[in-house]
Amino acid sequence: MHGGGMMMVTGSSYGQMPYSSRPESRMRDHLGENVRRMRQIQRQAKEREANAHQPVKALWKSEKYSGVTSKIKEDIKKPPSTPRPKSATFLRAHSRTGPSIKNISRPCTPDPPSEKLTVPPARCSSEIRFNRNNIDFIRVNGVSAKRQTMKRSPSVNALDELKKKEEEEYNKHRKGEVPKYLQVRKEHWKKTEEERIANTPDPEMPPGHRLLLEKERQQTLKLLLTKEDELVSELSALPLRMDTFRIRSQKQELENKIAEIDEAKKIFNRPKVFVKVDS
């Protein structure tokens, strides 16, 4: 062949040896191997057969029971027992010892009249005619499906009732209103805080004094204002001419009292008033 084709030789190719030139050592004798294998199997079978005819080794037996005879062997050597008489089967179940019972033939039960039969006999099957009315079964099934109520399990029904009850209780409450128990608690907290503040000693209070309560301070201030109005009225009622000594002294006394009330009003108008404790 021309070009890059493979050069072929009769009976061989390039780079290979002819089949006839292979060494004989590589060929396997399958027939000989099979014969040898068969002979080996036969020898093993003969050996097993020869070993099978050998006497079996006696089982180990304790010397303690060497003199004890076998009970089964004694039972086998005993003569067979005599058969029991016929009285042995007397009044025994299935003994059939009594007289035979005669089967008395009874007449067959007559067929009931055809008027009383609820189901027609089989021989009249060819004469039976089905009375079928023109019923719209699709419409009947649709109506029954609409009226049918879905059965629910007891657990689902109980859960629905519980949710409905909780919703009703929730709707009873007024929305946006503080509950009563919170209002009572708030008032209690307020009173407790006021008592705590009232019982706390003021650092500005001098020794031997006490803090005047707000109620007492307001009452005292109200009395001072009332007294001041009375003194001003008495001062206005005095005559204009001060000729006598009594009128001048009375005027001076009223003015002094009004001045004292003014000073007292300044004191009781303060947020904190300390009063000396009587010893």
Side-chain angles (χ1 to χ4, degrees):
M1 295 179 66
H2 298 283
M6 183 184 294
M7 182 176 65
M8 303 294 294
V9 184
T10 305
S12 64
S13 62
Y14 181 76
Q16 290 184 346
M17 296 179 64
Y19 181 76
S20 60
S21 63
R22 289 183 180 179
E24 296 181 358
S25 60
R26 295 184 181 181
M27 297 177 64
R28 295 182 62 180
D29 189 2
H30 297 285
L31 180 61
E33 290 180 0
N34 293 339
V35 172
R36 286 194 296 273
R37 180 63 179 164
M38 291 170 62
R39 289 177 180 175
Q40 184 180 1
I41 292 171
Q42 287 178 357
R43 285 196 302 271
Q44 293 177 357
K46 288 180 180 180
E47 291 176 358
R48 287 196 297 271
E49 187 177 358
N51 294 332
H53 292 290
Q54 292 181 0
V56 180
K57 186 178 179 181
L59 297 175
W60 177 84
K61 187 176 181 181
S62 177
E63 296 178 358
K64 181 178 179 181
Y65 305 102
S66 59
V68 179
T69 59
S70 175
K71 292 184 178 182
I72 299 175
K73 187 176 180 181
E74 293 177 359
D75 294 339
I76 293 173
K77 290 181 179 181
K78 288 181 180 179
S81 58
T82 57
R84 297 182 66 182
K86 294 183 179 181
S87 62
T89 59
F90 181 69
L91 295 179
R92 180 174 290 183
H94 310 291
S95 59
R96 307 291 291 177
T97 56
S100 59
I101 301 173
K102 296 181 180 180
N103 295 325
I104 302 172
S105 60
R106 297 180 179 179
C108 297
T109 305
D111 295 334
S114 58
E115 293 81 4
K116 297 183 178 181
L117 291 176
T118 56
V119 179
R123 62 177 180 271
C124 301
S125 59
S126 59
E127 302 176 0
I128 296 174
R129 294 182 181 180
F130 294 99
N131 297 326
R132 181 175 178 179
N133 300 325
N134 295 326
I135 302 173
D136 189 358
F137 292 100
I138 297 176
R139 182 174 176 274
V140 173
N141 293 338
V143 173
S144 61
K146 289 181 180 179
R147 295 178 180 177
Q148 185 69 22
T149 58
M150 184 177 64
K151 295 183 179 179
R152 309 179 70 181
S153 62
S155 59
V156 177
N157 294 333
L159 184 61
D160 292 343
E161 291 178 0
L162 180 61
K163 289 182 178 179
K164 187 177 180 180
K165 186 176 180 181
E166 291 179 353
E167 187 176 357
E168 290 177 355
E169 292 180 356
Y170 175 76
N171 293 330
K172 288 180 181 178
H173 297 290
R174 296 180 181 178
K175 300 175 179 62
E177 184 178 353
V178 181
K180 186 176 181 180
Y181 75 95
L182 289 180
Q183 295 178 3
V184 174
R185 188 173 297 178
K186 189 176 180 180
E187 291 293 332
H188 177 67
W189 290 343
K190 186 178 180 181
K191 291 180 181 179
T192 305
E193 185 67 18
E194 290 177 355
E195 291 177 359
R196 186 188 66 81
I197 294 173
N199 296 328
T200 303
D202 195 342
E204 299 178 359
M205 185 174 60
H209 290 68
R210 69 177 182 86
L211 180 64
L212 191 66
L213 298 177
E214 182 67 20
K215 186 177 181 180
E216 295 178 358
R217 188 182 69 83
Q218 293 291 342
Q219 290 178 357
T220 306
L221 187 59
K222 188 177 180 180
L223 293 174
L224 291 174
L225 293 174
T226 306
K227 188 64 177 177
E228 185 182 14
D229 293 340
E230 293 177 358
L231 294 175
V232 171
S233 299
E234 291 179 5
L235 184 60
S236 301
L238 292 176
L240 295 176
R241 292 180 64 179
M242 302 294 175
D243 297 339
T244 61
F245 177 75
R246 187 180 66 83
I247 294 174
R248 286 197 300 269
S249 59
Q250 189 177 0
K251 181 182 178 182
Q252 186 65 34
E253 185 179 357
L254 291 174
E255 288 177 354
N256 293 337
K257 288 181 179 181
I258 291 172
E260 290 177 1
I261 289 174
D262 288 337
E263 292 295 330
K265 283 169 54 180
K266 292 178 182 179
I267 294 172
F268 283 95
N269 279 324
R270 298 173 184 174
K272 292 181 181 181
V273 179
F274 302 103
V275 182
K276 189 175 182 180
V277 179
D278 297 335
S279 56

